[in-house]
């Protein structure tokens, strides 16, 4: 086995890629191609015709600009907040938790063992107007006597943040975990303050994790629909809700398909800008 | 001062974990609720009945078993495939590298409803090969989990210290042995973290699963279905049970690690 | 072609335990699941594959069996594979439209769609459902008058009602006095920001039309726009805070919402936990909707028709209504219910009296398919 790989070194990357990419090719790219075909159709359900209807795309962008922008805004805020919340926690798990690490990693992921609906109902319970949280906030005069937390932009963004927290925390952990504690010791020995040690040693070494976490949070969050559906009002609807409605209620498959491609393209553009900013080696190594 | 800072970080960590666990606490609490009607929104009284008769909701148990089986299987396969892709992209320069990178990001950016629906169309056009059911859900789950695995494992591979591998090869190991004995063990924690993420994704998925399941039901499909008319406390019981079992396993793992470390230290003396 | 038994089918068979002890039942259980798929032939299939909404049929909580289904199997020898896989008209339709549009079956003999969605009309227009065999359904004469001739299926050739439900206004007594009209819902300042409406167009827009003095059974662009504008105004002013599925239940119970457009069936359950919740038909009228049984392409018409005939026997209808708490479409169900559970029989939310029925209206089913209307409604929802 070892010799075979050695002799066919050029083939190695392709061999490594083959099974995974084959799976994606058949079960993602083929459906995606069909989706592309759908996006250029016109007509009404179920009699669509393929008419190279590029107008679907332009109409999609102009009609749903607001929701597109809002989705990116919410996803962006959620990503930043998630990063700020998660980093100290993950730092603690990687460097201070010792044998309890896996337990705390489990705590991070545990909310997913309880289906989305159930944990959102729990949040609705906790954040209800009659509940303790709102009561406390009103007592501190952070909320007016008639204001609440639910059915607001705050609720939707908080929902997205909470929902995607593991997607930020786990990749962060992955890159923090590998940092050799001795590097930090060396920095200390060289009279660096803890803050400097962090800024000059830990932070740069954890950069791949930050990049991975932000990608794994932002990209799916932009297409999220369920938080806006359960926690928001018509003013908080995201592009995911539009696509969902177009597909299920309006039976307008071409528009749903073209909107999906618009979203994908927008995300890829954002990705390119991001890669430029952080340096593309961070994304590919 | 450093003492304060040290404890401040721990305090913060516990606070965040508290925030994460808050809804779980409510879920566990309400699993002991004794509602008169079919919904579980108002606290009415404490009872252990729900835990004793956890199986009372028809279809709940089957859906949980399917979800767990599916989660484990799909995560296993996706982690293997995803790790291979990550290795290829990070460690090799080859034609098509950028494309491969791009293809990995695409599933994550596709809204679930259209992803699920177009996959369903694929299955429906190939009914001689695919019957809607466990198999098709498995295929779908692996498909959308792979991307997350790749990105997570890549974060470990970028900046991976290759000196250990080089040392191994200098000592005569060939590439395969080095991979097995050096690379893989170092990669294991990252693969575990990625697998955890994948498992969570699989357990929680509703839209893609619902469309491609045929008559099969997973736990989320069951809950979303029944929530229209009822929220039986048994759902809370099952969710709490899964959580508690997982915590117990992790606790056991932690204790085992402490013991092993202690034994090693004693052995070293 | 016989498919091997899946694990699920095996469990269902085991649950039907008693049925297997009769010879026909035993043969049915061993026969595998695949035979019901052939639409041709006058014979009863070995298995009836019934897709329905969750908790929409009677369940014996002790034995975890479904008594009326077991009884059906005992009588006819046909086993029943019951799938609680419909949780939303649109989502279920998305799941089944693929094979149906290709003229293929979906391995089901009966499925259930609500008549205030566009799907019944669509299914019939496209020819994706089969005609009932009325010779096998003499009990169709038990169908209540009000359901005899719905606009989407005037001759009742393709569908039969399963259960009906009502749409009205629910309110929380702790937060407000009785909310008896859409006008009050939209204008009462005390309710501002604590009002929700249903996402289902027919439910919400229908009620507003009634409040405008228009007839929801005859929708014109004018009457539609009038209603939509009124809803949009209420949303813009912040009076109506959101649109819900049945997720109004928890916020209403907890006081997050003070008044909601709500379905009657859910209220019966919510009332049990919280007596402060009330439900009523608005003074200008409420809406009534009906879940209908259809036979999809590839389903076995004789088997499905036989089952439909069975559930139109008043005693069976009564048993189902007693558990489900929705409105049975069968004449004589009330009398039978009085024998089983007088409290339920006298609950007008489950068996509405004529006075109540007169206040309930149906939505124009042709208008349900109007894409422009749907578009405008989606805009109000923010989508």
């Amino acid at each position: 086995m070892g010799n075979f790989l050695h002799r066919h070194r050029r083939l190695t990357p392709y061999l490594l890629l083959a099974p995974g990419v084959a799976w994606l090719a058949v079960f993602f790219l083929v459906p995606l191609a069909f989706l592309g075909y759908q996006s250029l159709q016109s007509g009404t359900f179920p009699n669509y015709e393929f008419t190279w209807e590029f107008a679907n795309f332009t109409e999609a962008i102009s009609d749903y600009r607001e929701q597109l922008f809002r989705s990116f805004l919410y996803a962006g805020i959620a990503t930043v907040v998630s990063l700020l919340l998660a980093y100290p926690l993950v730092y603690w798990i990687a460097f201070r938790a010792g044998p309890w690490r896996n337990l705390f990693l489990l705590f991070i992921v545990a909310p997913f063992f309880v289906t989305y609906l159930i944990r959102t109902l729990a949040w609705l319970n906790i954040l209800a107007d009659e509940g303790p949280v709102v009561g406390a906030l009103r007592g501190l005069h952070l909320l007016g006597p008639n204001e609440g937390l639910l059915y607001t932009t705050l609720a939707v963004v908080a929902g997205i943040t909470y929902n995607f927290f593991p997607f930020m925390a786990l990749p962060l952990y992955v890159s923090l975990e590998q940092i050799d504690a001795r590097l930090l010791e060396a920095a200390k020995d060289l009279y660096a303050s803890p803050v400097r040690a962090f800024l000059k040693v830990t932070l740069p070494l954890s950069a791949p994790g930050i990049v991975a976490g932000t990608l794994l949070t932002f990209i799916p969050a932009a297409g999220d629909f369920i938080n806006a559906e359960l926690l928001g009002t018509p003013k908080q609807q995201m592009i995911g809700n539009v696509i969902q409605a177009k597909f299920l209620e309006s039976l307008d498959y071409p528009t749903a398909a073209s909107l999906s491609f618009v979203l994908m393209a927008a995300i890829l553009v954002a990705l390119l800008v991001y890669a430029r900013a952080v340096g593309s080696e961070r994304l590919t190594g | 001062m450093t003492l304060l800072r040290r404890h401040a970080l721990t305090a913060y960590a516990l606070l965040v974990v508290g925030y994460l666990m808050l809804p779980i606490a409510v879920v566990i609490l309400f699993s002991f609720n004794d509602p008169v009607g079919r919904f579980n929104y108002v606290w009415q009284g404490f009872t252990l009945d729900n835990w004793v008769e956890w199986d009372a909701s028809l279809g709940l148990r089957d859906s949980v078993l399917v979800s767990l089986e599916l989660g484990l299987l799909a995560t296993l396969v996706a982690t293997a495939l995803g790790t291979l892709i990550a290795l290829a992209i990070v460690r090799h320069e080859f034609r098509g590298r950028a494309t491969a990178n791009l293809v990995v990001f695409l599933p994550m950016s596709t809204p679930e409803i259209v992803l699920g629906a177009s996959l369903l169309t694929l299955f429906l056009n190939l009914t001689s090969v695919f019957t809607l059911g466990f198999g098709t859900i498995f295929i779908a789950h692996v498909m959308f989990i792979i991307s997350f695995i790749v990105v997570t494992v890549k974060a470990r591979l970028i900046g991976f210290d290759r000196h250990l591998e080089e040392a191994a090869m200098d000592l005569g190991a060939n590439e395969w042995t080095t991979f097995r004995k050096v690379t893989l063990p170092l990669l294991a924690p990252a693969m575990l973290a990625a697998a955890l993420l994948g498992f969570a994704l699989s357990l929680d998925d509703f839209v893609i699963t619902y469309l491609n399941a045929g008559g099969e039901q997973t736990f989320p499909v069951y809950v979303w279905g029944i929530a229209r008319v009822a929220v039986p406390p048994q759902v809370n019981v099952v969710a709490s049970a899964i959580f508690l079992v997982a915590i117990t396993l992790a606790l056991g793992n932690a204790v085992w690690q402490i013991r092993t470390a202690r034994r090693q230290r004693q052995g070293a003396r | 072609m016989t498919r091997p038994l899946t694990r699920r089918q095996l469990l269902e068979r085991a649950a039907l335990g008693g049925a297997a002890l009769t010879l026909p039942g035993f043969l049915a259980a061993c026969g595998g699941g695949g035979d019901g798929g052939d639409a041709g032939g006058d014979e009863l299939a070995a298995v009836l594959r019934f897709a329905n909404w969750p908790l929409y049929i009677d369940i014996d909580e002790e034995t975890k069996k479904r008594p009326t289904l077991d009884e059906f199997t005992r009588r006819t020898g046909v086993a029943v594979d019951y799938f609680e896989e419909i949780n939303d008209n649109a989502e279920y339709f998305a799941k089944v439209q693929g094979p149906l549009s290709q003229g293929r079956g979906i391995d089901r003999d009966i499925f259930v769609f609500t008549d205030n969605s566009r799907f019944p009309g669509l299914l019939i227009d496209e020819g994706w459902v089969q005609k009932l065999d009325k010779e096998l359904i003499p009990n169709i004469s038990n169908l209540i008058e009000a359901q005899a001739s719905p606009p989407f299926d005037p001759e009742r050739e393709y569908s039969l009602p399963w259960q009906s439900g009502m749409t009205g206004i629910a309110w929380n007594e702790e937060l407000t006095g009785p909310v008896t009209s859409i006008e009050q819902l939209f204008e009462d300042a005390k309710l501002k920001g604590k009002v929700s409406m249903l996402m289902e167009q027919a439910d919400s827009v229908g009620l507003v039309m009634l409040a405008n003095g228009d007839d929801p059974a005859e929708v014109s662009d004018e009457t539609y726009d009038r209603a939509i504008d009124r809803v949009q105004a209420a949303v813009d002013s912040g009076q109506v805070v959101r649109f819900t599925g049945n997720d109004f239940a928890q916020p209403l119970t907890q006081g997050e919402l003070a008044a909601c457009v709500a379905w009657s069936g859910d209220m019966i359950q919510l009332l049990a936990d919280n007596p402060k919740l009330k439900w009523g038909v608005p003074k200008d009228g409420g809406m009534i909707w009906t879940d209908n049984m259809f036979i999809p392409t590839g389903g076995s018409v004789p088997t499905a028709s036989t089952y439909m005939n069975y559930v139109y026997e008043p005693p069976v209808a009564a048993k189902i209504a007693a558990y489900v708490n929705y409105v049975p479409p069968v004449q004589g169900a009330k009398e039978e219910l009085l024998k089983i559970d007088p409290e339920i029989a006298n609950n007008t939310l489950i068996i509405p009296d004529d006075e109540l029925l007169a206040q309930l209206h149906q939505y124009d089913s042709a208008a349900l398919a109007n894409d422009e209307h749907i578009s405008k409604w989606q805009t109000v929802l923010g989508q």
Side-chain angles (χ1 to χ4, degrees):
Chain A
M1 172 64 132
N3 286 326
F4 174 83
L5 280 181
H6 193 86
R7 264 177 294 158
H8 296 88
R9 203 178 261 130
R10 280 270 157 75
L11 280 185
T12 315
Y14 297 105
L15 288 175
L16 290 173
L17 281 179
V21 171
W23 197 289
L24 285 179
V26 175
F27 300 113
F28 174 70
L29 291 177
V30 171
L32 196 69
F34 175 71
L35 199 65
Y37 176 77
Q38 262 187 334
S39 70
L40 293 173
Q41 287 179 322
S42 58
T44 50
F45 184 89
N47 306 310
Y48 297 120
E49 271 168 18
F50 185 77
T51 55
W52 294 101
E53 197 80 16
F54 286 103
N56 284 339
F57 289 90
T58 44
E59 272 171 30
I61 301 180
S62 63
D63 287 344
Y64 300 107
R65 242 182 339 216
E66 197 184 316
Q67 285 92 342
L68 269 169
F69 175 72
R70 198 183 288 145
S71 301
F72 274 64
L73 180 67
Y74 289 2
I77 298 178
T79 306
V80 171
V81 173
S82 213
L83 176 61
L84 295 173
L85 274 180
Y87 200 103
L89 169 66
V90 176
Y91 184 94
W92 181 85
I93 297 180
F95 292 115
R96 303 276 167 77
W100 305 104
R101 285 174 168 193
N102 289 341
L103 179 66
F104 278 87
L105 287 183
L106 199 66
F107 277 134
I108 292 181
V109 162
F112 275 71
F113 294 166
V114 178
T115 359
Y116 176 85
L117 183 62
I118 303 294
R119 62 178 186 267
T120 306
L121 285 179
W123 273 120
L124 285 174
N125 209 330
I126 298 169
L127 297 178
D129 280 2
E130 321 291 310
V133 178
V134 173
L137 288 175
R138 282 187 187 157
L140 292 170
H141 294 290
L142 288 169
L143 275 182
N146 274 324
E147 280 171 30
L149 289 173
L150 291 176
Y151 309 141
T152 57
T153 306
L154 177 66
V156 176
V157 177
I160 299 177
T161 309
Y162 182 82
N163 212 31
F164 287 96
F165 190 81
F167 295 67
M168 173 63 77
L170 286 173
L172 267 181
Y173 170 76
V174 158
S175 74
L176 276 174
E177 174 262 340
Q178 58 142 324
I179 296 179
D180 196 341
R182 291 173 301 181
L183 288 171
L184 292 172
E185 270 179 47
K188 214 169 59 160
D189 290 342
L190 293 170
Y191 302 109
S193 70
V195 175
R196 263 185 87 82
F198 173 75
L199 286 175
K200 293 280 177 183
V201 180
T202 318
L203 196 56
L205 285 175
S206 66
I210 297 180
V211 169
T214 45
L215 289 175
L216 285 187
T217 307
F218 182 81
I219 297 180
D224 186 69
F225 67 94
I226 195 67
N227 285 288
E229 187 172 302
L230 288 186
L231 298 168
T233 75
K235 303 187 183 111
Q236 275 89 32
Q237 300 299 298
M238 297 165 72
I239 197 67
N241 301 89
V242 177
I243 294 175
Q244 181 102 338
K246 284 276 165 260
F247 189 85
L248 290 177
E249 308 289 340
S250 308
L251 297 180
D252 187 354
Y253 295 171
T255 307
S258 52
L259 267 173
S260 304
F261 279 102
V262 169
L263 175 64
M264 249 188 277
I267 291 178
L268 285 176
V269 166
L271 218 69
L272 284 170
V273 171
Y274 189 60
R276 198 52 75 79
V278 300
S280 58
E281 332 79 54
R282 297 264 192 250
L283 271 108
T284 51
Chain B
M1 195 52 199
T2 11
L3 201 68
L4 189 67
R5 216 173 279 152
R6 198 178 188 81
H7 285 293
L9 192 60
T10 310
Y12 175 85
L14 291 175
L15 260 173
V16 175
V17 172
Y19 154 71
L20 289 174
M21 290 296 106
L22 202 49
I24 310 259
V26 172
V27 168
I28 298 181
L29 179 67
F30 272 77
S31 71
F32 293 106
N33 190 14
D34 191 13
V36 175
R38 291 198 185 132
F39 292 102
N40 192 12
Y41 299 143
V42 179
W43 180 262
Q44 271 158 38
F46 186 93
T47 173
L48 290 173
D49 284 347
N50 303 322
W51 281 83
V52 172
E53 285 162 26
W54 68 276
D55 202 9
S57 262
L58 206 53
L60 175 60
R61 180 181 40 154
D62 285 347
S63 70
V64 173
L65 289 175
V66 170
S67 272
L68 290 175
E69 251 185 86
L70 181 67
L72 286 170
L73 236 61
T75 306
L76 225 63
V77 174
T79 308
L81 296 180
T83 307
L84 292 176
I85 295 183
L87 283 167
I89 293 184
V90 176
R91 292 190 157 190
H92 298 264
E93 298 269 350
F94 58 95
R95 285 233 320 255
R97 189 178 179 220
T99 320
N101 223 5
L102 186 72
V103 169
V104 161
F105 283 123
L106 287 181
M108 287 192 283
S109 46
T110 318
E112 295 197 310
I113 187 78
V114 288
L115 191 55
S118 28
L119 186 59
L120 178 63
T121 310
L122 177 73
F123 289 141
L124 291 176
N125 280 315
L126 291 172
T127 41
S128 47
V129 184
F130 300 111
T131 321
L132 292 177
F134 190 88
T136 49
I137 319 179
F138 167 75
I139 291 175
H141 280 221
V142 172
M143 180 267 288
F144 68 72
I145 293 176
I146 287 183
S147 310
F148 291 86
I149 307 282
V150 174
V151 176
T152 309
V153 174
K154 263 194 342 182
R156 177 72 177 89
L157 284 174
I158 299 174
F160 191 98
D161 185 357
R162 312 211 57 172
H163 293 129
L164 288 167
E165 295 170 314
E166 284 163 18
M169 293 211 280
D170 285 345
L171 291 169
N174 65 18
E175 280 160 356
W176 172 242
T177 316
T178 311
F179 179 76
R180 251 189 336 129
K181 299 243 172 203
V182 181
T183 320
L184 218 46
L186 285 173
L187 212 49
M191 286 170 69
L192 182 66
L196 215 52
L197 198 58
F199 186 68
L201 268 173
S202 169
L203 267 191
D204 212 30
D205 182 70
F206 171 69
V207 180
I208 301 181
T209 309
Y210 180 72
L211 290 175
N212 289 287
E216 198 75 67
Q217 277 197 334
T218 59
F219 184 51
V221 169
Y222 176 85
V223 172
W224 280 96
I226 207 173
R228 188 181 167 259
V229 280
V231 187
Q234 280 77 10
V235 170
N236 294 46
V237 169
V238 165
S240 310
I242 299 178
F243 170 73
L244 290 170
V245 166
I247 294 293
T248 315
L249 286 174
L251 269 173
N253 172 267
V255 169
W256 178 81
Q257 274 187 29
I258 298 179
R259 287 248 177 87
T260 322
R262 202 174 297 156
R263 227 175 287 136
Q264 277 179 348
R265 277 200 303 270
Q266 287 173 340
R269 288 191 215 120
Chain C
M1 186 200 81
T2 322
R3 285 199 329 258
L5 283 181
T6 64
R7 193 185 55 231
R8 177 171 244 278
Q9 286 173 321
L10 195 58
L11 288 170
E12 297 265 15
R13 303 250 186 289
L16 290 174
L21 293 178
T22 65
L23 188 57
F26 187 74
L27 288 175
C30 290
D35 296 327
D38 303 335
D42 301 313
E43 292 169 12
L44 292 183
V47 187
L48 173 78
R49 298 154 307 178
F50 185 0
N52 204 350
W53 299 66
L55 291 191
Y56 221 13
I57 201 168
D58 58 316
I59 298 181
D60 181 336
E61 314 241 301
E62 303 286 305
T63 61
K64 287 196 287 175
K65 299 213 207 141
R66 301 188 173 100
T68 55
L69 290 181
D70 292 343
E71 176 66 31
F72 176 73
T73 307
R74 255 192 296 276
R75 282 204 218 168
T76 61
V78 177
V80 180
D81 271 351
Y82 190 71
F83 300 94
E84 288 184 321
E85 58 186 12
I86 310 180
N87 66 335
D88 180 78
N89 288 298
E91 276 176 20
Y92 189 66
F93 185 79
K95 202 164 135 141
V96 300
Q97 59 88 20
L100 289 179
S101 63
Q102 293 170 356
R104 300 207 314 250
I106 53 168
D107 280 339
R108 300 284 180 268
D109 303 298
I110 302 182
F111 59 17
V112 176
F113 279 93
T114 318
D115 69 354
N116 71 352
S117 72
R118 64 193 297 182
F119 303 108
L122 189 53
L123 288 168
I124 294 178
D125 284 342
E126 295 297 324
W128 294 351
V129 290
Q130 305 181 64
K131 288 197 185 180
L132 314 176
D133 186 349
K134 292 214 205 164
E135 286 182 22
L136 293 176
I137 319 181
N139 286 337
I140 200 173
S141 55
N142 290 341
L143 180 60
I144 58 178
E145 195 55 45
Q147 297 282 357
S149 188
F152 65 90
D153 188 12
E155 313 277 313
R156 280 289 176 202
E157 293 181 287
Y158 297 94
S159 64
L160 270 181
W162 173 256
Q163 299 281 313
S164 300
M166 302 179 269
T167 308
I169 300 182
W171 68 90
N172 187 328
E173 257 186 355
E174 284 179 1
L175 295 174
T176 171
V179 180
T180 53
S181 68
I182 290 289
E183 201 183 319
Q184 189 185 349
L185 199 66
F186 283 177
E187 263 129 61
D188 190 342
K190 251 192 2 183
L191 298 174
K192 180 158 178 174
K194 286 184 168 281
V195 173
S196 75
M197 300 190 84
L198 289 171
M199 276 200 299
E200 195 66 60
Q201 178 186 245
D203 286 324
S204 296
V205 175
L207 285 185
V208 178
M209 278 191 189
L210 288 168
N212 283 345
D214 296 321
D215 184 5
E218 305 264 337
V219 173
S220 72
D221 285 341
E222 264 183 71
T223 56
Y224 188 83
D225 285 339
R226 248 204 304 269
I228 280 277
D229 289 341
R230 201 165 170 189
V231 178
Q232 183 71 64
V235 171
D236 289 338
S237 71
Q239 180 86 357
V240 172
V241 71
R242 67 182 256 107
F243 293 86
T244 67
N246 83 319
D247 52 294
F248 63 83
Q250 176 162 316
L252 184 66
T253 311
Q254 294 181 317
E256 196 66 33
L257 293 169
C260 317
V261 173
W263 293 306
S264 56
D266 294 349
M267 292 313 298
I268 296 176
Q269 288 303 318
L270 291 174
L271 247 46
D273 286 338
N274 189 348
K276 300 284 182 184
L277 299 182
K278 301 279 181 247
W279 183 90
V281 174
K283 71 169 168 36
D284 298 308
M287 304 297 288
I288 185 166
W289 47 265
T290 306
D291 285 323
N292 283 275
M293 295 184 279
F294 294 87
I295 308 179
T297 309
S300 161
V301 173
T303 320
S305 304
T306 310
Y307 179 76
M308 291 187 193
N309 187 51
Y310 168 70
V311 291
Y312 268 73
E313 291 172 21
V316 179
K319 284 203 200 107
I320 298 177
Y323 183 85
V324 167
N325 290 339
Y326 276 91
V327 180
V330 177
Q331 286 170 27
K334 175 166 184 175
E335 287 69 29
E336 293 294 328
L337 253 182
L338 278 167
K339 298 180 201 165
I340 308 175
D341 192 335
E343 199 182 316
I344 293 188
N346 289 319
N347 186 339
T348 48
L349 288 187
I350 300 181
I351 311 266
D353 52 20
D354 288 333
E355 202 190 310
L356 184 53
L357 274 176
Q359 296 177 286
L360 299 172
H361 304 255
Q362 288 179 318
Y363 196 87
D364 184 346
S365 60
L368 285 170
N370 186 323
D371 283 322
E372 261 193 55
H373 288 187
I374 295 179
S375 242
K376 290 188 184 169
W377 180 242
Q378 297 298 337
T379 312
V380 174
L381 295 183
Q383 296 164 349

